[in-house]
Amino acid sequence: IGMPVTTYRRYEIGLRNPVNEILVSIADFFNTSTDYILGRTDNPTFTREGNITESNNTLHFRELPIFDVKTAAGTGQYINYATNELMQVDNSVPKSASYGVVIAGDSMTPKYPDGSTIWIKVQRDMRDGQVGLFIINGDCFCKVLRKAGKSVWLESTNKKYDPIFITEHDYFHCFGLVVGVTE
């Protein structure tokens, strides 16, 4: 985004308000609309859904964004920028999915194998034990969220990976809940 993490944190927790140019940069970085960031809509993604009629046959279609950044199921993938393209999806993708991201690594095997696409429902709050998409200090992860008292950490389902403990000095953000996977 081109700003210090501390400045972005102040925007996110409401200590500062970004000027319009910064707001647009943040929306572009997260590939969402400024309306979503401002809380004017609950739809963070640019999905398309509709019907096509050809020769008296009506076909339903649904397209969701697939981001080209690989999401780590392992040691983290740095997010410098992310672009997406709309992909036509079938009924194997849950209706609640907002977008998809490709998994890189084996830390979430066997359920989320390397190269599979995880489908994310945008939500900011998650419960202990749910699998989600997270960013920690610029690295993106698919992990199990764990909470106990004031402690928060991320776990892999593959036990060869150590937990990632979140401290007050880390930039930590939840992108959403994993609602499905396709290979």
Side-chain angles (χ1 to χ4, degrees):
I1 300 176
M3 73 178 71
V5 171
T6 54
T7 302
Y8 178 78
R9 273 192 190 166
R10 289 183 184 119
Y11 294 146
E12 194 168 71
I13 62 175
L15 293 177
R16 288 181 69 177
N17 291 319
V19 295
N20 289 343
E21 293 81 16
I22 298 296
L23 184 65
V24 170
S25 294
I26 293 169
D28 288 347
F29 179 80
F30 288 109
N31 198 38
T32 191
S33 68
T34 55
D35 281 345
Y36 177 72
I37 291 173
L38 293 170
R40 296 174 49 166
T41 180
D42 290 332
N43 184 4
T45 60
F46 303 98
T47 61
R48 291 189 346 182
E49 192 166 353
N51 295 312
I52 299 172
T53 303
E54 284 184 8
S55 306
N56 295 329
N57 291 326
T58 301
L59 303 172
H60 182 76
F61 74 90
R62 181 169 64 127
E63 293 179 328
L64 295 176
I66 301 289
F67 286 88
D68 66 359
V69 63
K70 301 274 191 225
T71 299
T75 58
Q77 291 286 333
Y78 179 71
I79 293 184
N80 187 10
Y81 67 92
T83 59
N84 73 69
E85 58 183 62
L86 287 176
M87 176 179 162
Q88 195 159 357
V89 296
D90 60 22
N91 290 335
S92 67
V93 176
K95 280 289 207 188
S96 59
S98 303
Y99 60 91
V101 179
V102 176
I103 290 288
D106 67 348
S107 75
M108 293 300 287
T109 56
K111 187 165 184 179
Y112 307 102
D114 183 39
S116 63
T117 300
I118 56 171
W119 298 99
I120 308 299
K121 174 186 176 188
V122 174
Q123 66 182 52
R124 295 187 173 124
D125 296 318
M126 292 182 52
R127 294 185 311 273
D128 178 61
Q130 291 184 307
V131 178
L133 184 64
F134 306 95
I135 189 167
I136 306 167
N137 301 326
D139 291 328
C140 193
F141 295 90
C142 172
K143 299 287 182 193
V144 179
L145 178 68
R146 292 295 181 193
K147 299 178 183 181
K150 292 186 178 187
S151 296
V152 176
W153 67 97
L154 301 178
E155 285 184 348
S156 301
T157 55
N158 183 338
K159 297 305 177 195
K160 78 177 187 180
Y161 291 90
D162 293 330
I164 302 167
F165 291 92
I166 311 303
T167 71
E168 68 273 4
H169 303 291
D170 291 320
Y171 172 72
F172 178 69
H173 179 78
C174 172
F175 284 120
L177 176 70
V178 175
V179 293
V181 61
T182 53
E183 292 188 43

